[in-house]
Amino acid sequence: MWASPQQTLAYLAAVIGIGLVMAGALARTMLPLRWLAVGSNIGLMTFGALHPSPITLCIAALLLPVNLYRAIEVTRLTRRVRSAEVAADHAGLWLKPYMKAKKLKAGQTLFSQGERAEHLFLLVDGQMELVELGKVLEPGRIFGEIALFSPGRIRTTTVRCVTACTVLRIHHSTVRQLYFQDPAFGFHLIDLLASRLTGDVQRVQSQLREARNELAGQKPVG
C-alpha cells in the first residue's frame, strides 16, 4: 500500500469509495443515495485505474453514468416539487387554457346529487350554492374535485346558480393527466381535497355537538 504515492492514492480512493457505498446503504432517501453512489463510483474507478484493477475499473465505469443520470434526474424532480409547492396556490390561473367556458342562468342547476362526475369546475363570475350544505361559492373557487377522485365518481351534493354564472370546466381524463404530469396541479388538488374533507369533518362534529346540547337541554317528562 505504501510502496509508492500512486499506490497510496489508489488505496485511499478505494477506502473512500467503500465508505461512500456503506453510507449509501444507510441513506433513507433517494437523492443522497444517488450522489453517494456517484462518489463511490469515482473512488473505485480511481483505485481501478491506479492499482491497477481492470475489473473494478470496468464495473465502476459502467455504474457511474447510470448513477449520475439518476442523481441529476432526482435533483431536478426535487427542485420541481419545491417550486410546485409555491405555484400550487396559483393553479387555477394556468389551468384555464385546458378548460371550456359554460354560462348558466340564475336558478339553473349545474349538477345534482347522485349524478356521475365528469368535470372539474372553476367559477369565473356569479354565485353558486351547495344546496344540501347551504354554502355559497364565490368567484375563483375550484369545485367538484372530490367526486372525481371517489371510487364511484358520484356527486355528493347539488350545485345551483344563485345568480347568472360563468364556469370553466375540464374533463376528468385531462385532470388525471395533469395530476400525474404536473406536481403543482397535484399539490393543489391534494390541498383542495384535504381542506374540503377537513371542513366536512368539522361540520359533522359541529352538528353532533349541537344535537348533544339539544338532548342535554331537554327535561325528562313525568
Side-chain angles (χ1 to χ4, degrees):
M1 178 177 178
W2 308 108
S4 68
Q6 179 175 320
Q7 290 301 307
T8 301
L9 180 61
Y11 280 101
L12 180 61
V15 170
I16 293 174
I18 294 172
L20 292 176
V21 170
M22 296 177 63
L26 298 175
R28 296 184 178 182
T29 56
M30 188 59 66
L31 184 59
L33 170 61
R34 288 297 182 181
W35 284 115
L36 288 169
V38 169
S40 69
N41 293 153
I42 294 174
L44 293 175
M45 280 180 61
T46 303
F47 170 79
L50 297 178
H51 183 59
S53 175
I55 295 178
T56 303
L57 177 62
C58 290
I59 293 175
L62 288 173
L63 291 175
L64 178 60
V66 176
N67 285 316
L68 185 60
Y69 173 78
R70 292 301 182 187
I72 294 173
E73 186 179 47
V74 174
T75 301
R76 288 176 177 173
L77 179 60
T78 302
R79 291 175 180 173
R80 190 180 179 194
V81 169
R82 288 173 181 170
S83 64
E85 292 175 341
V86 177
D89 291 338
H90 305 285
L93 297 177
W94 50 258
L95 191 60
K96 289 181 180 180
Y98 301 95
M99 308 182 85
K100 296 181 179 179
K102 181 177 182 179
K103 294 184 179 295
L104 301 103
K105 299 178 181 179
Q108 188 174 350
T109 298
L110 178 62
F111 56 77
S112 300
Q113 187 180 45
E115 289 183 358
R116 186 169 175 82
E118 297 291 344
H119 294 88
L120 178 72
F121 297 93
L122 171 63
L123 181 58
V124 177
D125 59 60
Q127 286 187 334
M128 291 183 160
E129 65 171 341
L130 305 176
V131 176
E132 288 78 11
L133 303 178
K135 188 175 181 179
V136 176
L137 302 179
E138 300 292 343
R141 172 75 177 268
I142 293 177
F143 62 97
E145 75 289 342
I146 292 179
L148 286 185
F149 288 89
S150 64
R153 294 221 327 261
I154 301 299
R155 297 294 185 192
T156 58
T157 186
T158 300
V159 174
R160 185 169 58 203
C161 298
V162 178
T163 64
C165 298
T166 301
V167 297
L168 297 177
R169 60 181 179 177
I170 181 172
H171 196 266
H172 78 93
S173 60
T174 307
V175 172
R176 290 180 179 272
Q177 290 176 18
L178 290 173
Y179 178 84
F180 289 115
Q181 293 174 4
D182 199 310
F185 184 61
F187 271 102
H188 190 63
L189 276 183
I190 292 172
D191 287 342
L192 281 176
L193 290 168
S195 62
R196 305 285 164 80
L197 292 174
T198 300
D200 290 342
V201 171
Q202 292 175 346
R203 183 171 58 255
V204 171
Q205 290 176 340
S206 178
Q207 292 173 348
L208 290 174
R209 284 195 297 269
E210 291 177 359
R212 285 197 296 266
N213 292 336
E214 290 179 0
L215 290 174
Q218 293 178 354
K219 296 181 179 181
V221 179

